[in-house]
Amino acid sequence: MDHKKTFYVTTPIYYASGNIHIGHTYCNVCADTIARYKRMMGYDVRFMTGSDEHGEKIQKKALDAGLSPKEYVDRIAASFQEVWKAMNISYDYYVRTTDDSHVACVQKVFTELLKKGDIYLGKYEGWYCTPCESFFTDSQVGEEHLCPDCHRPVHWESEDSYFLNVKKFVPDLMEFYDKHPSFCRKDKLNEMINTFIKPGLDDLCITRTSFDWGVPIAENPKHIVYVWIDALLNYVSALGYETADESLMRKYWGEETEIVQLAGRDINRFHTIYWPILLMALGLRQPDRILVHGLLLTKSGVKLSKSLGNAPSPYPLIERYGVDSLRYYMVREMQFGEDGAFTPMQFVDRLNADLANNYGNLVNRTLSMVNRYFEGRIPSYRKDVSERTRVMMERAKELVDEYVSRMNEFDITGGTGSAMELLGLGSKYFDDMAPWNLSKEGKTELLEETLYSACELIRIGSILLSPVMPEKTKEALDQENVPEELRTFESIAETGRLAGISLRPLAPLFPRLKKEEEIQYLTKLIDGE
Ligand code: MSP
């Protein structure tokens, strides 16, 4: 029997309306870091991402491209999967809202809620923003009639529609928030309460008749399900909810599972208001956490977005800097939960300081000296180490604990920072001990102790950084020739087992970037010149 704790993590499913840009990749990189961390900690993890393939915008794009909507989204979904592969996103399942099983799930949910009376037929009128697929009120669009989200013009629309009985659930929702303080960060939730709930939440219009690229409802097929309701249900349809085999649903949406869902702050409203309400209506449990993350902005504070033309594709960055450097930058430089600017200078500085000068340099210096002084074999280890080494290893242990407590709270920026600090500790120790002098002075025991301890720190730091940089940390561990059983998180405590290991050939892990040159390159890339 499987006694592992279970963990379910999801990203929003991405609109299949265009290409993925680096702003989009942020969420998947963070989710992947979390998924890999939980796997490392021994959880049975299910990590899900996918594509959101219905809606008017996509129908129009397909028409423009001379394709049927399905042909269009097939292409886009394939291109998304390629990006995720290039970014090393280790999802276990990729859901598409055009999947038959998803469509059937949405239809069944609709029927069930209609029967229960939580969905009813009415009339919808309001200001509609086609690109955002959202209705807005008079006050939201102002006198200029502009979408409050994307600032493009909205138009008046009126249609027969089905509504979700949102109002009925508001008291339960507020009680749920109160009882589950870790559901969502206080400030992010308060923003939702103050902006949407306190002014009075209306029942949500959840069908459309003005176009047909969506899930038709069985009861009245000229109506298709509003793309957001369709999309939110992916989180459970992908587990087989409302299908013949609900075993995954029982397992990963069961009470025992820790459920964590990521969403950018631009779609917070759907994840912290409508999604819990939908789950309440269906009598399903709530996720443990909605991790609302910030957005990648330009230097001048504008969201990186395709339509604004300021968001580069991740491919040139992966090619030039390597996927792990890009992943590291995103997780470490952006404080998880806050907005952050993607600026060429910070990018180059961060990569040089943390990866080339700290991590890469420690690996290279340490292993080169093992080659030089000990013919490529990691020297032996004694328990009665010098005071300096003992103090350093004590601090390293504290940093491992700090890493774990931060990562367990999904502070991936802080956790990654602790891991990097541990490597920085190694670099400083290395400088202080100056092994080249120890060799000159013939202090062999201290030289052995120093290089052994530095190898140990490289091993530990690489294990801790493996969720964010799976490839580079593997390269470091490979160069040090660390056996598989000493690459696990539990093995961190097993110090002393590296002695006698023969190193593999060395190669620099991260190049030192030429600042001016790279800033110029990146500036051009972002400005799209
Ligand atoms: N299809 C909806 C989600 C439905 S989930 C039930 C959607 N798709 S999206 O493609 O527009 O966005 C996907 C994710 O990318 C969102 O979490 C969004 O916040 C994120 N990002 C898009 N641009 C971004 C940045 N510039 N920076 C960080 N994340 C960004 O919304």
Side-chain angles (χ1 to χ4, degrees):
M1 208 171 122
D2 190 358
H3 289 293
K4 276 188 179 178
K5 284 189 278 181
T6 44
F7 182 76
Y8 183 43
V9 57
T10 65
T11 70
I13 49 171
Y14 289 76
Y15 275 130
S17 58
N19 296 330
I20 293 285
H21 58 68
I22 57 163
H24 290 124
T25 64
Y26 177 69
C27 187
N28 237 327
V29 166
C30 295
D32 188 61
T33 301
I34 291 171
R36 287 177 188 269
Y37 169 73
K38 286 288 184 180
R39 287 193 198 108
M40 178 168 90
M41 300 312 271
Y43 282 73
D44 170 340
V45 173
R46 189 161 179 93
F47 168 22
M48 228 235 336
T49 189
S51 37
D52 186 354
E53 304 187 351
H54 290 130
E56 193 175 7
K57 182 164 65 177
I58 289 172
Q59 188 165 15
K60 285 193 173 140
K61 286 247 177 166
L63 198 69
D64 290 347
L67 297 170
S68 72
K70 183 64 169 63
E71 282 167 342
Y72 180 78
V73 294
D74 281 350
R75 286 188 190 183
I76 299 277
S79 77
F80 284 6
Q81 288 174 24
E82 257 175 42
V83 175
W84 302 139
K85 195 167 160 205
M87 297 288 297
N88 240 329
I89 305 300
S90 62
Y91 58 81
D92 299 291
Y93 188 74
Y94 188 92
V95 64
R96 298 183 54 186
T97 54
T98 52
D99 290 339
D100 289 344
S101 54
H102 173 80
V103 170
C105 167
V106 174
Q107 288 175 325
K108 283 189 186 155
V109 162
F110 196 95
T111 301
E112 189 180 321
L113 296 184
L114 195 62
K115 271 195 202 141
K116 276 193 183 170
D118 286 329
I119 288 178
Y120 63 89
L121 186 62
K123 207 169 198 38
Y124 199 87
E125 289 184 326
W127 296 104
Y128 191 69
C129 173
T130 306
C132 295
E133 323 236 18
S134 293
F135 274 101
F136 296 99
T137 60
D138 280 340
S139 64
Q140 285 171 320
V141 301
E143 279 178 11
E144 293 183 313
H145 299 155
L146 296 179
C147 169
D149 283 343
C150 74
H151 310 294
R152 280 178 277 216
V154 292
H155 62 274
W156 187 257
E157 222 167 85
S158 167
E159 54 186 46
D160 267 356
S161 284
Y162 288 86
F163 286 80
L164 179 67
N165 202 351
V166 165
K167 279 189 200 142
K168 171 182 144 186
F169 292 97
V170 170
D172 287 349
L173 183 66
M174 293 301 286
E175 191 186 328
F176 168 75
Y177 292 157
D178 271 353
K179 287 196 175 149
H180 298 86
S182 54
F183 175 66
C184 178
R185 234 175 73 168
K186 260 272 117 357
D187 55 336
K188 309 266 180 198
L189 194 61
N190 281 342
E191 193 189 326
M192 295 298 109
I193 295 173
N194 292 331
T195 321
F196 300 106
I197 301 184
K198 284 214 174 125
L201 205 57
D202 283 329
D203 286 350
L204 183 69
C205 168
I206 57 162
T207 61
R208 300 285 182 268
T209 50
S210 54
F211 61 94
D212 63 4
W213 180 237
V215 178
I217 66 169
E219 293 74 8
N220 196 344
K222 79 173 178 30
H223 288 259
I224 57 160
V225 176
Y226 173 40
V227 68
W228 266 102
I229 297 298
D230 172 358
L232 286 166
L233 286 168
N234 90 83
Y235 300 131
V236 286
S237 78
L239 296 175
Y241 179 55
E242 300 279 22
T243 65
D245 179 4
E246 289 200 330
S247 53
L248 285 174
M249 182 69 191
R250 276 193 298 278
K251 182 169 179 184
Y252 293 104
W253 207 270
E255 286 304 328
E256 303 288 290
T257 299
E258 185 178 3
I259 302 176
V260 167
Q261 306 199 263
L262 282 80
R265 71 160 164 81
D266 51 337
I267 55 174
N268 180 357
R269 176 162 66 115
F270 294 97
H271 287 82
T272 53
I273 299 179
Y274 296 119
W275 179 226
I277 286 180
L278 206 51
L279 289 167
M280 282 175 189
L282 291 167
L284 294 174
R285 64 157 286 184
Q286 299 293 339
D288 291 289
R289 298 201 195 222
I290 303 290
L291 297 176
V292 177
H293 66 75
L295 303 179
L296 255 74
L297 310 174
T298 63
K299 189 166 70 206
S300 44
V302 180
K303 172 180 166 182
L304 287 181
S305 97
K306 176 114 176 86
S307 54
L308 297 170
N310 57 8
S313 144
Y315 286 118
L317 294 166
I318 295 173
E319 212 164 285
R320 196 169 176 101
Y321 305 104
V323 61
D324 278 2
S325 298
L326 181 58
R327 290 170 58 110
Y328 178 78
Y329 171 78
M330 287 184 176
V331 171
R332 181 72 193 107
E333 183 73 30
M334 294 256 308
Q335 178 61 45
F336 189 57
E338 308 296 333
D339 286 353
F342 183 92
T343 67
M345 172 118 93
Q346 279 171 357
F347 185 82
V348 176
D349 283 348
R350 179 60 82 175
L351 265 47
N352 272 343
D354 291 4
L355 301 184
N357 296 347
N358 187 19
Y359 184 26
N361 203 19
L362 178 67
V363 173
N364 202 265
R365 289 195 296 169
T366 304
L367 301 188
S368 301
M369 287 196 192
V370 170
N371 275 342
R372 187 170 329 140
Y373 301 129
F374 297 101
E375 291 164 350
R377 282 162 77 93
I378 299 179
S380 57
Y381 167 83
R382 271 175 314 280
K383 285 226 150 58
D384 53 338
V385 290
S386 68
E387 184 62 7
R388 268 196 289 184
T389 303
R390 195 190 59 73
V391 169
M392 189 278 292
M393 288 310 280
E394 282 294 307
R395 177 70 192 132
K397 268 195 209 127
E398 282 170 16
L399 285 167
V400 173
D401 292 345
E402 187 179 291
Y403 166 90
V404 171
S405 63
R406 288 177 162 174
M407 294 298 278
N408 284 349
E409 277 302 305
F410 306 100
D411 173 11
I412 53 176
T413 309
T416 304
S418 306
M420 200 44 80
E421 199 180 327
L422 183 139
L423 289 162
L425 183 74
S427 295
K428 178 156 189 316
Y429 168 78
F430 199 89
D431 289 340
D432 289 350
M433 300 298 275
W436 49 94
N437 287 339
L438 298 175
S439 161
K440 265 192 239 146
E441 294 159 12
K443 294 183 178 161
T444 314
E445 282 197 357
L446 210 48
L447 177 65
E448 286 178 351
E449 177 182 312
T450 303
L451 292 183
Y452 184 89
S453 305
C455 284
E456 202 64 282
L457 279 190
I458 293 170
R459 178 180 79 94
I460 298 170
S462 300
I463 293 172
L464 302 187
L465 285 174
S466 63
V468 62
M469 293 193 288
E471 281 182 7
K472 286 291 169 183
T473 51
K474 181 175 180 308
E475 267 180 48
L477 292 166
D478 283 349
Q479 291 185 21
E480 201 174 291
N481 207 5
V482 175
E484 283 307 319
E485 71 270 18
L486 294 180
R487 296 182 182 204
T488 63
F489 182 79
E490 305 85 77
S491 75
I492 283 180
E494 293 182 38
T495 45
R497 291 182 54 191
L498 299 175
I501 285 177
S502 297
L503 303 184
R504 298 229 196 109
L506 309 189
L509 281 183
F510 303 97
R512 190 165 290 113
L513 303 172
K514 290 196 186 106
K515 199 163 167 173
E516 295 308 317
E517 211 171 297
E518 297 312 317
I519 289 180
Q520 217 176 14
Y521 171 81
L522 288 161
T523 309
K524 262 193 190 164
L525 194 72
I526 294 176
D527 294 347
E529 279 164 19

